[in-house]
Amino acid sequence: MKLTPEQLARRWPVQTFDFESTESLEAPQAALGQHRALEALELAVGVAQPGFNLFVLGAPETGRFEATLQRIRQLAAALPTPDRWCYVNNFRDPIRPVALRLAGDTGVRLRDDMRQLVEELRSAIPAVLESDEYRSRVEQVEAHFASLQQQAFGELVEEAQHQGVALLRTPAGFSFAPAREGEVMPHEEFEKLPAAEKERIAQAIRALQEKLERILRQAVGWRREHRDEMKKLNREVTTFAVGHLVDDLLRKYVTLPGVVAYLEAVARDVVENADIFRASAETPQHQPMPQMSQMQADELPPLRRYLVNLLVEDGATGAPVVSEENPTFQNLIGRVEHVARFGALMTDFGLIRPGAMHRANGGYLLLDARKLLMQPLAWEALKRALLTREIRIESPAQQYGLVSTVSLEPQPIPLDLKVVLFGDRMLHALLQAWDPEFVELFKVDADFEDDIVIDDALLPAYARLIGGLARDAQLPALGADAVARVIEHAARDAGDRGRVTLHVRRLRDLIAEAAYQAGRQGRERIGRSDVQAALDARRERTGRVRRRLQQHILEGTILIDTAGAVPGQINGLSVYMMGDTAFAQPTRITATTRIGEGNLIDIQREAALSGPIHAKGVMILSAWLAARYAGRQAFALNASLAFEQTYGPVDGDSASLAELCAILSSLAGIPIGQAWAVTGSIDQSGRVQAIGAVNEKIEGFFEICAARGLDGRQGVLVPAANVRHLMLRDEVVAAVRDGRFAVHAVADVDEAMRLLTGRADVDAAVRARLAEFGKLRQKILAPAPRNRQSRH
């Protein structure tokens, strides 16, 4: 069936639209054609049960991320703002910081209140400890214990003098020596004393020494009592200074038991460690305590033990929506930082840094599945957090025993969020097949459509989509003729004249390129010619390989005939993919036939240059040959197929019709017109089946023919099932309209052979040749007759 120009492309006249430009169109309300995916999103958001997280499937070009993010933000804005979390010092066990849950801006107020408390204590405690009253009480304590020592030593000295012994203080301590009239007796005089006197003095010194030892032991107790009295005094004075300040905070946060317990612990710790405020008093008052996030690598001020580490502070209302572009292990669950000080790594609760799950807690966390799976330990960390419903900050190195640095074990934070993963369908299928926990954690799939049926009812909505894309990108408005051209390209991109693509990123890029072309011409509105210029420029920009292959064909380096007729030779059409760009070129396919045993040799497969789908297509055409021509007789045929001048892998079954036609031509001895190119796959019944990239294939052969000169005899045979997919370029449609080129749709092999050869007796010729092959084969295989010997 010869196709008319109207069957080769669908065009939308400007009169189809009721607007002059997209400037007057309203923005689309939701992602066009994605209602099924958005309903799945609503389900995931609405079900407040574990495991109802969302996996968004589809191509990134569909705008799946933007549409999902927009809808989730709309839903999140109506939800209550979640509580905030902060970490505070655990004074009993500093290695395990305490997590506090605070509603609204309570965390910010508590953080500011604690900073203010520390600043006030920095001045209040030193002032109290330097007051006259405090000094007077210290002097009383000092005087009391000094009098105890003086009295004890005074009595000892008096007794020693009565015994004629002097108490001496030496660098090594106290000692006794004989004395006379208050002076130490020289050794010579002591030796002159009577033995009885010397014995009396020695006994007296031993008795005094025992008393001295008892006094020294008492002095140790007095010093302990002195320290206790000073601590008691300091506690009393510090409690007086701290009490009213902390009491004000206690009254302020009386409804929060966790905060009350923390403030009471702060008060106790301040009383026990008042000396650090004395040291801090040396810092000028105009230098306030730095924020937790402002600590440098060489400073850990002791007073930061009383500050609050607020994990998240954004001030936003509604549920948070967080998109993490780099989902590493630590970026997800947070980390504990360390600072180097005196050659050692140190840390405290103030160096706990939040992760994406902390920021999204109570809301939604959006992640790219591929990026997540590429990060070590990140996928397992996410699943563990979702299964346990808590965020546990831990170091991977310590988890696997790779380092021995002392770190923290922060109290886990309860997790309440929805995770939205974005990935392609293949990745989703792999996770479902190989990770059993995935099915339990991601129970809802939102599958974004790649295209949508275009009809009169949908046309206005699609025009609004195009206008919205231009408006969102701050590009000029499109005229109605430009909208029509964009829709035509969208239908070609969808591969179906009855559908249009929903790959909004590609549409946005095309509009941007068209805006550039309009700007070069000084136009403020994008027209049809600007869209066409953008498409032409894009094709030229990505056409280096295509032009080089065409040049090789036109120069005769690659042998492609577009005139004449040759038996067993046909022009197939091969598609080349270069990134996002596809183009096609003719490929010479040849077939040879001979007497044999029904073997079909695919030279591509024998050379390991054939893919599995191509091999399948060759086996199907071999089965068709055997079914049609060897039903009641031996199949006395050997045939060979080759893709000439191809030096790389070949796959796909779209050349199986051309291969079969080449074999039939070789068998029948009837030449095939080389002005034709053929594409299509066949089944075992000989019916021609649809193939892909039909537009690129037709245009690829058209360009070669046009370069050599169109004479009205060139054309392409395509499957009849592909007619609905035709969206050819204007120059091809114009050539068909002028009778300089033709496109025929065929439904079976016989119809194709009639067009290619111009004859209707191909089947009969094939049968005659096969019958001849059969007779020759029988003759060759027949046993030779025995010679009779004569008798004499």
Side-chain angles (χ1 to χ4, degrees):
M1 178 181 65
K2 187 175 182 179
L3 300 182
T4 64
E6 291 73 23
Q7 292 176 297
L8 301 182
R10 183 180 180 183
R11 299 290 183 253
W12 278 266
V14 177
Q15 296 77 12
T16 307
F17 306 98
D18 59 355
F19 58 88
E20 293 186 2
S21 77
T22 58
E23 191 174 5
S24 61
L25 298 181
E26 298 179 354
Q29 297 298 321
L32 182 64
Q34 306 294 358
H35 60 278
R36 186 161 51 88
L38 295 180
E39 287 177 0
L41 188 153
E42 301 273 355
L43 173 67
V45 171
V47 178
Q49 293 294 323
F52 278 82
N53 298 293
L54 182 67
F55 195 104
V56 179
L57 298 81
E61 295 84 359
T62 58
R64 64 187 185 188
F65 178 81
E66 294 83 355
T68 302
L69 179 62
Q70 178 184 9
R71 184 55 183 152
I72 286 182
R73 282 179 172 170
Q74 293 172 353
L75 297 172
L79 297 176
T81 303
D83 296 339
R84 303 304 187 194
W85 289 88
C86 64
Y87 276 110
V88 295
N89 192 17
N90 184 346
F91 299 102
R92 293 183 178 179
D93 190 2
I95 202 172
R96 294 178 175 83
V98 176
L100 295 180
R101 183 171 191 165
L102 304 171
D105 63 345
T106 306
V108 176
R109 290 190 284 109
L110 177 62
R111 181 197 60 189
D112 296 342
D113 288 341
M114 290 305 299
R115 285 181 53 80
Q116 181 64 30
L117 174 65
V118 170
E119 292 297 329
E120 292 176 351
L121 292 177
R122 290 177 68 188
S123 58
I125 292 179
V128 172
L129 296 179
E130 293 174 3
S131 64
D132 293 338
E133 180 182 356
Y134 175 76
R135 291 177 179 176
S136 175
R137 296 185 61 179
V138 169
E139 290 175 356
Q140 292 177 5
V141 174
E142 296 287 351
H144 172 68
F145 285 100
S147 65
L148 291 177
Q149 292 184 6
Q150 290 175 0
Q151 180 180 355
F153 278 97
E155 292 176 353
L156 182 63
V157 170
E158 183 178 351
E159 182 178 353
Q161 290 176 351
H162 180 72
Q163 296 288 342
V165 178
L167 177 62
L168 303 178
R169 184 185 294 272
T170 67
F174 294 99
S175 63
F176 293 97
R180 177 179 291 173
E181 296 180 357
E183 298 293 334
V184 176
M185 181 183 299
H187 180 70
E188 294 79 5
E189 293 184 12
F190 179 76
E191 290 297 330
K192 295 178 181 179
L193 292 175
E197 182 63 17
K198 289 194 289 185
E199 180 64 22
R200 184 192 66 78
I201 294 175
Q203 290 179 355
I205 290 176
R206 285 194 292 272
L208 292 171
Q209 186 69 37
E210 292 177 358
K211 288 184 178 182
L212 176 61
E213 292 176 356
R214 288 196 297 271
I215 292 174
L216 291 177
R217 285 194 294 271
Q218 287 180 334
V220 172
W222 292 333
R223 285 195 294 272
R224 186 182 302 110
E225 292 178 6
H226 175 265
R227 287 195 301 270
D228 293 342
E229 287 293 327
M230 290 302 300
K231 287 183 179 180
K232 181 179 179 181
L233 175 60
N234 288 337
R235 289 194 193 97
E236 181 181 343
V237 174
T238 306
T239 301
F240 175 77
V242 173
H244 69 281
L245 297 176
V246 176
D247 288 344
D248 291 342
L249 294 180
L250 287 172
R251 285 191 294 269
K252 187 175 182 179
Y253 298 99
V254 67
T255 59
L256 302 174
V259 177
V260 170
Y262 167 66
L263 293 175
E264 292 173 348
V266 167
R268 291 191 296 269
D269 192 79
V270 168
V271 171
E272 294 295 330
N273 298 277
D275 290 340
I276 64 176
F277 288 92
R278 282 183 174 178
S280 176
E282 300 176 1
T283 303
Q285 291 300 312
H286 63 273
Q287 296 183 2
M289 284 289 295
Q291 296 278 3
M292 284 288 185
S293 59
Q294 297 173 343
M295 299 297 178
Q296 302 298 318
D298 59 349
E299 57 181 18
L300 284 174
L303 292 183
R304 68 187 257 127
R305 64 194 282 121
Y306 304 116
L307 298 182
V308 173
N309 184 4
L310 184 60
L311 295 181
V312 180
E313 179 187 3
D314 54 16
T317 58
V321 180
V322 176
S323 174
E324 178 55 59
E325 296 297 327
N326 185 26
T328 63
F329 179 88
Q330 292 186 334
N331 285 354
L332 282 178
I333 69 168
R335 65 189 183 277
V336 177
E337 294 181 345
H338 292 73
V339 297
R341 194 176 189 188
F342 305 118
L345 293 177
M346 304 179 65
T347 187
D348 67 4
F349 74 98
L351 294 176
I352 299 174
R353 300 294 180 247
M357 283 193 279
H358 294 94
R359 300 195 303 274
N361 203 5
Y364 306 91
L365 176 59
L366 281 59
L367 301 171
D368 184 280
R370 179 176 172 273
K371 293 179 180 179
L372 178 67
L373 292 169
M374 290 178 65
Q375 295 295 337
L377 307 177
W379 174 241
E380 293 300 324
L382 175 65
K383 291 194 299 180
R384 184 165 54 251
L386 293 176
L387 289 170
T388 60
R389 306 193 72 181
E390 65 179 19
I391 311 173
R392 184 181 296 273
I393 299 178
E394 53 189 351
S395 167
Q398 290 183 332
Q399 183 179 358
Y400 289 94
L402 301 179
V403 297
S404 58
T405 304
V406 175
S407 187
L408 302 180
E409 298 178 13
Q411 180 181 350
I413 292 177
L415 180 65
D416 180 21
L417 58 72
K418 295 283 187 179
V419 176
V420 181
L421 288 183
F422 296 86
D424 56 44
R425 296 180 178 90
M426 178 62 73
L427 183 57
H428 179 265
L430 289 173
L431 287 171
Q432 279 191 323
W434 296 102
D435 192 338
E437 294 176 334
F438 173 78
V439 180
E440 294 298 321
L441 294 175
F442 293 88
K443 298 181 179 181
V444 183
D445 302 332
D447 196 349
F448 272 67
E449 297 284 358
D450 294 308
D451 51 44
I452 189 174
V453 175
I454 186 73
D455 53 22
D456 293 341
L458 186 69
L459 198 60
Y462 202 79
R464 288 196 298 272
L465 171 65
I466 294 172
L469 292 175
R471 189 180 301 109
D472 293 343
Q474 299 181 348
L475 297 171
L478 290 84
D481 57 342
V483 172
R485 186 65 187 93
V486 172
I487 293 177
E488 292 164 6
H489 175 74
R492 177 178 172 121
D493 194 34
D496 191 325
R497 64 195 303 168
R499 308 181 73 87
V500 286
T501 183
L502 291 177
H503 289 187
V504 294
R505 290 187 185 177
R506 294 184 186 177
L507 295 178
R508 186 187 299 116
D509 293 342
L510 175 60
I511 296 171
E513 294 174 27
Y516 168 74
Q517 297 292 340
R520 292 181 61 184
Q521 302 299 323
R523 290 190 286 268
E524 296 183 355
R525 179 187 297 177
I526 300 173
R528 182 184 182 90
S529 60
D530 300 319
V531 178
Q532 186 61 51
L535 291 171
D536 294 341
R538 178 185 294 180
R539 188 166 182 271
E540 182 66 22
R541 191 167 59 247
T542 60
R544 185 188 68 83
V545 177
R546 173 178 53 82
R547 292 193 303 272
R548 180 61 61 88
L549 288 175
Q550 290 177 354
Q551 182 180 1
H552 289 330
I553 293 173
L554 297 175
E555 292 174 348
T557 304
I558 298 176
L559 301 178
I560 297 293
D561 295 330
T562 56
V566 180
Q569 177 176 300
I570 194 169
N571 292 322
L573 294 168
S574 300
V575 178
Y576 299 83
M577 296 298 300
M578 307 292 292
D580 292 335
T581 302
F583 65 92
Q585 296 290 338
T587 299
R588 183 163 50 99
I589 300 174
T590 60
T592 60
T593 54
R594 55 202 173 275
I595 299 174
E597 300 176 350
N599 296 322
L600 176 58
I601 300 175
D602 179 8
I603 294 177
Q604 302 298 128
R605 183 173 59 186
E606 297 297 324
L609 292 176
S610 171
I613 299 177
H614 177 262
K616 174 188 175 184
V618 173
M619 286 186 281
I620 288 175
L621 71 88
S622 177
W624 182 86
L625 284 169
R628 171 172 279 200
Y629 297 111
R632 296 183 179 181
Q633 62 184 15
F635 197 33
L637 170 69
N638 276 1
S640 299
L641 282 171
F643 278 62
E644 304 292 352
Q645 292 184 287
T646 57
Y647 307 100
V650 174
D651 202 5
D653 62 352
S654 65
S656 58
L657 174 60
E659 291 170 322
L660 179 55
C661 291
I663 292 174
L664 294 176
S665 170
S666 176
L667 268 174
I670 300 175
I672 290 177
Q674 299 302 296
W676 293 100
V678 179
T679 183
S681 70
I682 62 168
D683 62 13
Q684 293 191 94
S685 300
R687 291 175 298 185
V688 180
Q689 303 172 136
I691 44 83
V694 63
N695 295 296
E696 289 79 3
K697 291 176 178 179
I698 295 173
E699 292 166 356
F701 189 67
F702 172 82
E703 290 174 354
I704 297 298
C705 295
R708 289 178 172 174
L710 297 173
D711 57 11
R713 289 177 291 182
Q714 298 105 332
V716 179
L717 303 188
V718 301
N722 277 121
V723 173
R724 64 174 292 109
H725 305 139
L726 294 178
M727 285 294 293
L728 296 173
R729 299 202 307 268
D730 288 341
E731 56 265 35
V732 182
V733 177
V736 171
R737 181 177 291 108
D738 297 340
R740 295 179 293 119
F741 194 75
V743 178
H744 285 259
V746 295
D748 55 46
V749 176
D750 296 325
E751 183 181 359
M753 287 302 295
R754 285 194 297 271
L755 288 169
L756 293 172
T757 63
R759 294 174 55 172
D761 60 343
V762 175
D763 184 70
V766 170
R767 292 182 184 276
R769 178 61 60 88
L770 287 175
E772 181 183 348
F773 282 175
K775 293 178 181 179
L776 290 173
R777 184 170 182 271
Q778 289 179 356
K779 184 176 180 180
I780 293 172
L781 297 178
R786 297 181 180 180
N787 294 326
R788 295 182 178 180
Q789 297 180 354
S790 59
R791 293 182 179 180
H792 298 282

